[in-house]
Amino acid sequence: MGDKFVIVNGITSPEVSVDQVLEAAIGELEEVVIIGTHKDGKEYFASSIADGPNVNWMLDRAKKALIEIVDSGR
């Protein structure tokens, strides 16, 4: 999936459709956390992981990775 978008200064460019992101992940992941927004503005959350602390750990790791990308100047 990395070839489908480039992160520049923490911004995904160009925008990728939700369906493209989800379709690219099918069959590739062992665990998943999905956070999004419905078309009516309501928040959406789903996870394949039942354990809340592990979900939070994945979210924190993802935030750390995004911060490191921004900090590295990529």
Side-chain angles (χ1 to χ4, degrees):
M1 190 162 88
D3 295 335
K4 295 184 181 180
F5 62 90
V6 177
I7 298 176
V8 181
N9 295 328
I11 299 169
T12 302
S13 178
E15 293 271 333
V16 179
S17 78
V18 172
D19 290 342
Q20 285 178 302
V21 172
L22 294 173
E23 287 170 4
I26 293 173
E28 298 294 321
L29 305 175
E30 185 173 324
E31 300 173 319
V32 66
V33 176
I34 301 171
I35 300 170
T37 308
H38 285 277
K39 292 179 181 180
D40 65 2
K42 291 181 189 173
E43 294 175 341
Y44 177 88
F45 175 84
S47 174
S48 65
I49 306 163
D51 182 30
N54 284 336
V55 171
N56 195 45
W57 175 252
M58 286 181 70
L59 293 171
D60 287 344
R61 297 283 298 166
K63 290 187 293 186
K64 178 181 181 289
L66 286 172
I67 290 167
E68 288 173 350
I69 288 168
V70 172
D71 287 347
S72 73
R74 255 177 73 187

